[in-house]
Amino acid sequence: MTFLKLNSLRKHYGAVAALDGVDLSVAPGSRSAIVGPSGCGKTTLLRLIAGFDVPEAGTILLDGEVVADAQGQVPAHLRNIGIVAQDGCLFPHLTVADNIGFGLKTSREAKQARAAELMEMVGLDNAMLSRKPDQLSGGQQQRVALARALARKPRLMLLDEPFSALDTGLRAATRKSVADVLSAAGITTILVTHDQQEALAFADQLAVMRAGRFAQVGAPRDVYARPVDAATAAFLGEAIVLPATVKAGQAQSPLGLLPVDERDFEGQASILLRPEQISVDRAEGLKANGTVGEVAFGGSTCDTRVTLDGAGAFSFRLDIPNRDMLLKGDRIAISVSGKAHVFR
Amino acid sequence: MSATTDTRVLTAPRYRLPAASSWTLTIAVVVALLALLPLGFVLWAAFATGWDTAVQLIFRERVGDLMVDTILLVLLTIPICTLLSVTLAWLTERTDLPGARLWSWLCVAPLAVPAFVHSYAWVGFWPGIHGLGAGVAISVVAYFPFLYLPVSAAFRMLDPALEDQAASLGLAPFAVFRRVVLPQLRLAICGGTLLIGLHLLAEYGLYAMIRFDTFTTAIIDQFQSTYNGVAAYMLALVLVLCCFVLLGVEAGLRGSRRYARLGSGVARRTRVARLGRWKYPLLILPLVTAAFSLGIPALTLGHWLVAGGAAIWRMDEIGLALGQTLVICLIGGFATTAAAVPIAWLSVRRANRSSRFLEGCYYLASSMPGVVVALALVTVTVRVLLPFYQTLATIVLAYVIMFLPRALVSLRASIAQVPVELEQAAASLGRSPGNALWSTTVRLAAPGAAAGVALSSLGIMNELTATQMLAPNGTRTLAMAFWALSSEIDYAGAAPYAVLMVLFSLPLTWLLHHQSKKIAGR
């Protein structure tokens, strides 16, 4: 079942391809996140879906209806797609109540009532309804922007880095409450962000975008554990990529013989381990041993460089909990839990 | 400065306030008091005349007629100007109108033509033109750039994300314009209409040329015929009250709140609306506007220059007028800018309630029509300070009162760009407060001061009303010579003077256009 379908969308700005053939299917009521470094084209994609820009090629289908293709497009105001922008984008000349009621075509009283109802839904005090946007904090502005976008019960909600202007503590809390509100309303949502943690925490479906294309689309856990290439792996979190010889579900690597997630593959390949799969021990062991290099103190953990024994002197960095306090030059044994991922 | 080896002893005198600050404040207050002289004069005149005489002089048919004409002039001109300017600004800033940049220049260029030269050009084109209709038409072409400038600047500064947002909330393009764009243009429209309104009340030459009576023309007639002031004073009182009504209405409409741009993101470049098949039909509007506001002056002046031939270029007279004008303009421009320095510095470096109040006094004083300022200074000099009557000092004071805000705006902007830390660094290197101010802020704000001198000088060049009443005997500026010749129906003889005024005003127009672009960061 597909609610929103994008088929090979293309868009250029001058000689630069902002979107270079993007395909995506979004299930009804789901939460998708598009994540990528800044300048990868994710905001352009959102603007095409919202109807602010026109694709040069490709189609956008919303709920079975073509809203944009090479022939023409449904203008933004007829799409009923809500959008919450990075800075909230509240109308500075209107009060909070008027901002929320802006898109409604009902009587003034009905607008006021709906505004009050939405304020409660996004967790704001009704006393704020008469304020102007510049009298609100950043987090409050974002919630009002969400309420305003929700007021018309949109078919699809687009969130364009809505949490990036907030400070760290507020960000997680706002993200949680926004996700809850949208789930409760059952609205299909697409979040665009450059923050991989935010994307992983928010989405049912994650799309990693790079240079105008989707590098990979899938469930967040799958994409994190089994990325298609080293760049995607590194974008989603710390990645340890090792050369290995794979055979019969096992890989011979600088960390010894490791189980991998491919049964049938055979030959030379790179394999991926996440740092949380690795544990270290002070006593030297049988499997893989190494030496501690530079240690940078970082509060609860220490950013520690580990160099493996043997040819090539392969090294990587780990966050080691402070209680295991290692010092430069310490000898350690390294063990791996779980399977390594093979890049084919 | 050559090597200053400052070896002052450490037991320096102690001040409560930095000495520069208290001196600056004193000067700023004195200048403000001088600037408020005309207003004080009108109040004094009303008081001295006595209730009965005042009622008798104010509530009569003549004043009623003037009132109706003035109100109609304002109520007709301002909406037409607003509609025209907003449409032109939208066309030139937000659409793919062919030649938008050129049209944008041509919409500002009419400012280079003094209002009374516009009038002269129309009379040359349609000799019988007169009355309210003519007054409104000429006022629109002469003054609409005062609205076009701020509105087009505001269009450039609008955040296009807000318009996208409104579209995503289901508003059709025209509704977006009405509910999101227009409200954000409100401040620009308010400021521009106020400026136009004050010009409509204060202008003399434009209306005298087409025999349309306003309070200003009536006051000058009264002043020239009887010289007995009381009737003129009472007309001035009503005129000042009209100005206050305008100021009050504008303040009410503007409200106390400024529209802050929320958020920190960089504004996306605005998208341009495609006019499609309307592209060429819509060209008619800027074309017709330019034809009336620039074509008519150009044609009339060209006609008279050709018809007059070499005979009208009486270089001795023109040279004399030009010389006198330049001297008066430069003295006036420098005096105005110098008078603006203290309040400009205070309003940036010591921004508080009292400096804001003081600044407000200057703006209020400059919104008084030139005829009221002149009437006040004539009366005060004749009655109290006769040696100053019709001297350079008096007329320069009038210019300072009328044009100080022009210098103030430029100075303020450039002083605000000089970090206060430079002044403090100079002080820490042993300069006295005044010296520190001079060697850092004043030096670095010099470009702003130059712009202030230019703006106020060019205002003075085209000033006719107060100059006529206050100029020392034997003075003949370009504007006065132009006016004298065209009043004698020597239209050909007047043409060279008009051409000179336009030529000197062109750089002003360029400066204004440039500043409005700069404000928008382009």
Side-chain angles (χ1 to χ4, degrees), chain A residues 4 14 22 59 67 73 78 95 182 204 241 248 279 287 315:
Chain A
L4 173 74
V22 168
T59 53
V67 293
Q73 67 152 4
L78 300 177
T95 61
L182 288 167
D204 310 327
V241 179
S279 45
K287 272 185 124 182
S315 76

Side-chain angles (χ1 to χ4, degrees), chain A residues 52-84:
Chain A
F52 302 153
D53 268 329
V54 191
E56 281 149 17
T59 53
I60 303 173
L61 282 107
L62 183 65
D63 207 3
E65 168 200 3
V66 178
V67 293
D69 62 8
Q71 271 74 52
Q73 67 152 4
V74 178
H77 68 277
L78 300 177
R79 289 193 188 187
N80 198 9
I81 295 178
I83 183 162
V84 178

Side-chain angles (χ1 to χ4, degrees), chain B residues 219-232:
Chain B
I219 292 170
I220 292 194
D221 288 347
Q222 196 85 291
F223 176 79
Q224 283 172 343
S225 58
T226 59
Y227 197 76
N228 166 24
V230 186

Side-chain angles (χ1 to χ4, degrees), chain B residues 23-361:
Chain B
W23 269 106
T24 322
L25 187 64
T26 314
I27 299 171
V29 169
V30 170
V31 177
L33 288 176
L34 282 174
L36 288 173
L37 196 70
L39 199 58
F41 155 78
V42 172
L43 293 178
W44 166 83
F47 184 73
T49 309
W51 181 252
D52 293 337
T53 324
V55 168
Q56 204 182 354
L57 282 170
I58 290 172
F59 294 93
R60 58 191 169 117
E61 206 186 330
R62 170 82 176 137
V63 179
D65 290 347
L66 288 174
M67 199 68 184
V68 169
D69 275 355
T70 306
I71 288 174
L72 281 177
L73 178 70
V74 172
L75 287 187
L76 287 172
T77 307
I78 284 182
I80 297 176
C81 278
T82 311
L83 202 63
L84 181 67
S85 309
V86 173
T87 315
L88 284 173
W90 180 74
L91 281 173
T92 53
E93 295 298 331
R94 299 295 289 273
T95 70
D96 58 349
L97 188 80
R101 284 178 66 92
L102 173 74
W103 294 121
S104 152
W105 276 102
L106 292 182
C107 286
V108 184
L111 282 184
V113 183
F116 49 85
V117 175
H118 275 290
S119 201
Y120 154 91
W122 284 55
V123 169
F125 219 77
W126 293 290
I129 197 170
H130 73 281
L132 179 67
V136 171
I138 303 175
S139 306
V140 168
V141 298
Y143 294 129
F144 84 89
F146 284 133
L147 255 167
Y148 174 82
L149 268 175
V151 171
S152 61
F155 261 120
R156 283 193 289 275
M157 282 191 288
L158 289 187
D159 183 358
L162 289 176
E163 287 154 61
D164 285 346
Q165 186 69 56
S168 84
L169 291 168
L171 265 65
F174 186 73
V176 173
F177 186 80
R178 188 174 58 83
R179 289 182 58 192
V180 176
V181 176
L182 268 188
Q184 295 188 84
L185 297 179
R186 198 174 64 168
L187 282 182
I189 292 176
C190 279
T193 45
L194 175 68
L195 200 58
I196 293 180
L198 290 175
H199 271 87
L200 293 177
L201 292 181
E203 177 60 28
Y204 166 68
L206 194 167
Y207 303 114
M209 188 84 80
I210 54 165
R211 287 169 287 122
F212 175 68
D213 282 345
T214 67
F215 280 107
T216 298
T217 61
I219 292 170
I220 292 194
D221 288 347
Q222 196 85 291
F223 176 79
Q224 283 172 343
S225 58
T226 59
Y227 197 76
N228 166 24
V230 186
Y233 296 163
M234 288 307 105
L235 287 176
L237 177 66
V238 179
L239 181 57
V240 167
L241 290 178
C242 288
C243 289
F244 275 112
V245 169
L246 270 187
L247 290 168
V249 168
E250 197 263 349
L253 284 178
R254 189 181 50 194
S256 56
R257 195 158 263 291
R258 303 202 133 256
Y259 304 144
R261 204 183 110 83
L262 301 166
S264 53
V266 180
R268 189 179 291 274
R269 281 297 289 264
T270 51
R271 253 176 323 139
V272 159
R274 291 187 205 293
L275 295 174
R277 60 201 165 90
W278 289 98
K279 205 171 196 172
Y280 293 99
L282 279 171
L283 266 180
I284 291 174
L285 187 71
L287 207 66
V288 167
T289 310
F292 279 96
S293 60
L294 296 168
I296 289 182
L299 276 179
T300 314
L301 286 176
H303 166 76
W304 289 122
L305 287 181
V306 171
I312 54 172
W313 292 90
R314 283 163 293 206
M315 289 318 288
D316 48 339
E317 285 179 28
I318 295 176
L320 191 67
L322 184 60
Q324 285 193 341
T325 308
L326 290 181
V327 168
I328 286 194
C329 281
L330 283 180
I331 295 176
F334 276 106
T336 307
T337 310
V341 168
I343 184 64
W345 185 82
L346 283 173
S347 69
V348 174
R349 293 280 193 256
R350 302 276 183 273
N352 55 28
R353 192 182 291 248
S354 56
S355 70
R356 270 195 297 279
F357 174 78
L358 210 54
E359 205 185 338
C361 290

Side-chain angles (χ1 to χ4, degrees), chain A residues 133-148:
Chain A
D134 57 345
Q135 292 167 293
L136 303 182
S137 72
Q140 290 166 340
Q141 286 184 20
Q142 286 301 6
R143 285 159 193 252
V144 173
L146 178 69
R148 180 178 64 178

